[in-house]
Amino acid sequence: MTATSNILPLFVGISLAGAFLTSIVGKKLKWLPDLMGSLTTLILLGLSLITVRIVATQGILVYSVGGWKLPIGIALVLDGLTVFMLVTVNLMAFFIAIYSINYMEKFTSKWKFYTLFLLMVAGMNGVVITGDMFNLFVFLEIASVASYALVAFGTERHELEAAFKYTVMSIVGSLFVLLGIVFLYSYTSTLNMADMANILAQKSASNITIMVSVLFIMGFGLKAALVPFHAWLPDAHPSAPAPISAMLSGVLIKSLGVYTLCRVFYNVIGINSSLSLILMVLGTLSMVIGVFLAIGQWDFKRLLAYHSISQIGYVILGIGLGTPLGMIGGLFHLFNHSVFKSLLFLNSGAVEYATGTRDLQKMGGLMTKMPITGTTSLVASMSIAGIPPFNGFWSKLIIIIACVQANRLGYAFWAVLASILTLASFMKVMKYAFFGKLREKWNKVEEVPVFMKLSMVILALICVVGGVLLIYNINEVFLKPASDVLLEGTKYADIVFKGIQ
Amino acid sequence: MSKEHDKGMSLIVKVITRLTVGLILLFGIYIVLHGHVSPGGGFAGGVIIALSFVHLMLAYGKDVALKKLPKTAMSFFESMGAILFLSIALLGFTGGYFFLNFISKGEPFRLFSAGTIPLSNIAISLKVGAGLFAIFVVLVLLKFEWEKKE
């Protein structure tokens, strides 16, 4: 327990304080919600960058909330994977908050938006940083409930319908997770993840762990929108306002779905070959079915939503492989996907802001009128399609090489096929939306305001230089510690207990 | 009877409500304040406090209840409860830990004991009471507006 570990509860505390202060004073002072949103997420981004250094120098940090010692109280754990997720979540949250300053002008009551937005960020940070099983469920619910309200933010008919569908399906997922936690608690008599991993390792394998694994795959898989559980995503993501689509697709499904799947299966229950096979098959299914469903879409945001399913498939395939290279590829793709998919959703929001339509067939030639949106969108499209030297290329390459190395050529084939189909569908987007002849009615279209441009340009820059994360020195402090946490498997428990001193 | 009492339910219900509503509110406050020594606590007490206002609304109509607790006050109390709870948690940093029970615990089973727990209960009851009543009011107002459109 050192002074630096006091940073851990701040990730939840600051975002909650921002949310409730916005809801108290934001109604009266019109300028405050924008400032609160950007400032809070900026502080969180700064803190999460500091944690990269802390973990690199001091190793894993464990914090006991309220001074209660480890197996009894709630523990917060800062390890490589947590740092990786914190940076991803807060980086996206900051740029999306900047983007919303201009974009949310067309909605009334911005303060409600920022309150819910910050609550969602608090929930995601909490899920990532907690070391306690039930605490994870509570934060999962905070983030989910905030996102239900945000999907319905426009309160049009189809938005309410999508939000209702999302709410029902997501609550079913949460109930599976809760049931799984109940079984684990009754079996191990503890809620602390590290303690739970210890006890599960001591007890011999039993049917309870298999049952719990199935429940968790259903619950967390539904949050991550893996293919048999994906039906809510193509409705919910396009209906939300663009910054929220970016947030949901960029980080919510990853921190509530992919991160929790990794943490529970690798560090608590312990991975075995059949679980790994299930993850890989689900990942490949999502990858291929997602892209086939995406290719025929004409609604810009709906197409992007189907691509989210497909790209999450890559992440799960990489992580499910279980080899060091596969882990790095999967986690790297997680980071890259959150950058370029957020950027694409922000682009679609910018197009909708300027022209008022999301139908690709009605657009055309917007590149001449909206050069910055067009260029950033081109960068993001090439990233997601895996064209060198953009970041998406490197992570897909690593995943495919990892598949070949593990002698799983079939999976490698599907990954390549899905990548080619992704390229095809984004060539369609580019051709219909930004290139081609400008239509008469878009002659008066103007480029979007400054803050929207700013956040899109910076995200596009991250797409271009994203490959540097693989350079040895940077990889050593950012990606490798994260994949090491997963590779250590259930040794996580010993490391956490050592961290508490 | 004054004009504002035209709405709502029959005279019998109104009289009974007038007699009981204060008791329900008091009982809610009792449950909150004794949260650390007897069953109950912030959430249960907050629900009972909200129910006393719901009771008033059912018997006398929405105008009377909203005069007692306006919508702005509701949203203020709700956010204030959350902020109070968070600041109690943050004040724990004075002793070195987030959520540390930094006030002296006192003698067990007395009203003034258990450190920050009664304060947290009060914060939770503000949040829950105002929040639950707000949900009820929103459902009712939405229905009124919908009927107006018909």
Side-chain angles (χ1 to χ4, degrees):
Chain A
M1 188 75 202
T2 49
T4 42
S5 62
N6 277 329
I7 201 172
L8 293 185
L10 292 182
F11 282 102
V12 180
I14 288 178
S15 37
L16 281 181
F20 293 120
L21 282 178
T22 313
S23 85
I24 255 187
V25 274
K27 211 173 178 178
K28 297 274 159 23
L29 308 169
K30 295 289 174 218
W31 50 270
L32 190 104
D34 286 333
L35 186 73
M36 281 303 272
S38 317
L39 197 67
T40 316
T41 45
L42 179 65
I43 296 171
L44 289 172
L45 176 61
L47 285 179
S48 56
L49 290 175
I50 293 172
T51 57
V52 175
R53 193 176 155 68
I54 291 177
V55 164
T57 52
Q58 302 185 7
I60 186 168
L61 285 187
V62 183
Y63 189 85
S64 336
V65 175
W68 297 90
K69 286 301 168 216
L70 184 64
I72 298 164
I74 293 171
L76 305 178
V77 180
L78 186 79
D79 58 12
L81 185 60
T82 303
V83 168
F84 173 76
M85 288 304 296
L86 279 178
V87 171
T88 313
V89 169
N90 293 316
L91 187 73
M92 290 310 124
F94 174 58
F95 288 118
I96 289 166
I98 290 184
Y99 179 92
S100 326
I101 293 175
N102 285 136
Y103 184 83
M104 294 310 289
E105 292 294 346
K106 61 177 187 172
F107 291 87
T108 51
S109 58
K110 249 175 156 180
W111 59 280
K112 283 182 189 157
F113 170 81
Y114 278 107
T115 305
L116 290 167
F117 178 82
L118 289 172
L119 272 179
M120 195 162 86
V121 173
M124 285 188 286
N125 279 335
V127 164
V128 169
I129 208 164
T130 186
D132 185 274
M133 212 59 184
F134 192 73
N135 209 222
L136 184 139
F137 176 75
V138 171
F139 283 122
L140 188 110
E141 281 293 277
I142 292 177
S144 307
V145 171
S147 71
Y148 308 149
L150 282 168
V151 168
F153 200 75
T155 61
E156 295 291 325
R157 190 182 181 81
H158 69 279
E159 284 157 348
L160 294 175
E161 190 193 328
F164 185 71
K165 189 175 175 185
Y166 174 37
T167 310
V168 171
M169 295 201 63
S170 186
I171 284 177
V172 172
S174 299
L175 285 178
F176 280 131
V177 173
L178 184 60
L179 196 58
I181 293 174
V182 167
F183 278 133
L184 270 185
Y185 184 42
S186 70
Y187 187 56
T188 62
S189 322
T190 177
L191 281 170
N192 187 282
M193 283 189 206
D195 206 23
M196 203 177 251
N198 262 345
I199 293 173
L200 281 176
Q202 281 160 17
K203 296 195 178 192
S204 53
S206 81
N207 289 335
I208 291 239
T209 45
I210 298 173
M211 175 83 182
V212 169
S213 306
V214 171
L215 288 171
F216 279 163
I217 285 181
M218 289 196 286
F220 293 135
L222 209 146
K223 301 273 179 197
L226 289 174
V227 144
F229 320 109
H230 69 286
W232 59 272
L233 188 142
D235 280 336
H237 287 201
S239 306
I244 294 310
S245 310
M247 204 67 192
L248 291 179
S249 216
V251 285
L252 190 90
I253 54 174
K254 301 194 180 68
S255 55
L256 300 193
V258 178
Y259 167 82
T260 45
L261 270 180
C262 298
R263 183 64 96 192
V264 166
F265 284 129
Y266 279 89
N267 292 146
V268 180
I269 294 179
I271 195 91
N272 52 39
S273 58
S274 50
L275 266 178
S276 159
L277 185 71
I278 289 173
L279 285 183
M280 280 163 66
V281 168
L282 287 182
T284 315
L285 270 180
S286 319
M287 198 162 77
V288 179
I289 292 176
V291 80
F292 271 115
L293 290 171
I295 209 160
Q297 299 297 326
W298 286 104
D299 183 331
F300 196 171
K301 284 171 90 175
R302 206 174 170 83
L303 183 143
L304 296 178
Y306 277 113
H307 274 294
S308 286
I309 300 174
S310 164
Q311 302 297 315
I312 283 294
Y314 276 98
V315 177
I316 293 290
L317 172 64
I319 291 170
L321 269 176
T323 58
L325 197 64
M327 298 279 185
I328 289 203
L331 291 172
F332 189 31
H333 199 67
L334 190 156
F335 177 78
N336 290 341
H337 178 249
S338 66
V339 177
F340 55 62
K341 186 48 67 66
S342 301
L343 177 53
L344 279 167
F345 268 114
L346 298 185
N347 288 141
S348 76
V351 172
E352 198 185 355
Y353 184 89
T355 65
T357 182
R358 297 196 320 229
D359 192 341
L360 288 173
Q361 282 169 316
K362 290 185 186 148
M363 299 172 193
L366 292 174
M367 192 65 138
T368 48
K369 290 288 172 189
M370 307 169 71
I372 291 179
T373 309
T375 320
T376 50
S377 179
L378 185 65
V379 169
S381 302
M382 288 199 284
S383 292
I384 193 173
I387 295 187
F390 298 101
N391 57 3
F393 166 72
W394 300 108
S395 48
K396 283 189 182 179
L397 186 71
I398 294 177
I399 292 173
I400 291 166
I401 291 177
C403 282
V404 174
Q405 245 183 18
N407 215 5
R408 307 228 182 225
L409 296 177
Y411 294 107
F413 168 74
W414 288 114
V416 174
L417 182 77
S419 184
I420 294 170
L421 290 174
T422 311
L423 178 63
S425 86
F426 276 95
M427 277 163 74
K428 173 179 129 182
V429 171
M430 281 294 126
K431 177 177 178 299
Y432 278 93
F434 294 105
F435 294 103
K437 219 164 97 281
L438 184 70
R439 294 189 183 218
E440 275 302 292
K441 63 176 169 179
W442 304 135
N443 271 335
K444 286 200 188 106
V445 166
E446 283 173 14
E447 183 61 287
V448 290
V450 55
F451 285 116
M452 288 166 78
K453 277 192 277 194
L454 181 74
S455 86
M456 288 194 294
V457 167
I458 298 176
L459 285 177
L461 282 180
I462 300 177
C463 276
V464 176
V465 301
V468 300
L469 284 179
L470 286 180
I471 295 172
Y472 183 75
N473 288 337
I474 303 174
N475 185 18
E476 209 56 9
V477 293
F478 191 56
L479 275 173
K480 200 164 167 299
S483 69
D484 282 348
V485 169
L486 293 181
L487 287 173
E488 279 150 7
T490 44
K491 266 191 262 155
Y492 164 78
D494 303 334
I495 297 167
V496 168
F497 275 110
K498 215 186 289 166
I500 196 84
Q501 305 293 338
Chain B
M1 273 204 308
S2 65
K3 203 168 181 196
E4 67 174 16
H5 290 180
D6 286 352
K7 287 178 185 162
M9 294 189 180
S10 69
L11 184 65
I12 299 171
V13 178
K14 281 182 183 169
V15 171
I16 298 293
T17 302
R18 202 161 56 213
L19 292 175
T20 53
V21 76
L23 294 177
I24 296 174
L25 186 66
L26 266 181
F27 184 64
I29 294 171
Y30 167 82
I31 293 277
V32 171
L33 291 183
H34 286 75
H36 55 294
V37 289
S38 66
F43 196 96
V47 170
I48 296 170
I49 290 174
L51 285 182
S52 72
F53 286 101
V54 170
H55 197 178
L56 206 62
M57 193 158 188
L58 288 175
Y60 284 90
K62 68 176 162 55
D63 298 327
V64 177
L66 285 180
K67 206 190 261 172
K68 291 262 189 276
L69 189 64
K71 269 190 280 182
T72 45
M74 249 184 296
S75 68
F76 177 76
F77 280 133
E78 208 210 337
S79 306
M80 211 56 208
I83 288 188
L84 270 179
F85 191 67
L86 190 67
S87 16
I88 292 168
L90 287 175
L91 277 177
F93 273 130
T94 54
Y97 284 97
F98 190 58
F99 264 116
L100 184 76
N101 197 338
F102 60 95
I103 304 175
S104 110
K105 315 284 187 299
E107 203 182 321
F109 304 110
R110 305 300 291 269
L111 184 57
F112 294 102
S113 64
T116 57
I117 293 176
L119 299 176
S120 307
N121 271 335
I122 291 170
I124 294 170
S125 74
L126 275 180
K127 171 92 188 157
V128 172
L132 202 66
F133 186 54
I135 291 171
F136 185 79
V137 168
V138 165
L139 290 176
V140 169
L141 291 186
L142 219 64
K143 189 162 170 260
F144 277 123
E145 272 162 28
W146 186 68
E147 276 169 356
K148 241 181 261 165
K149 262 186 212 163
E150 289 280 293

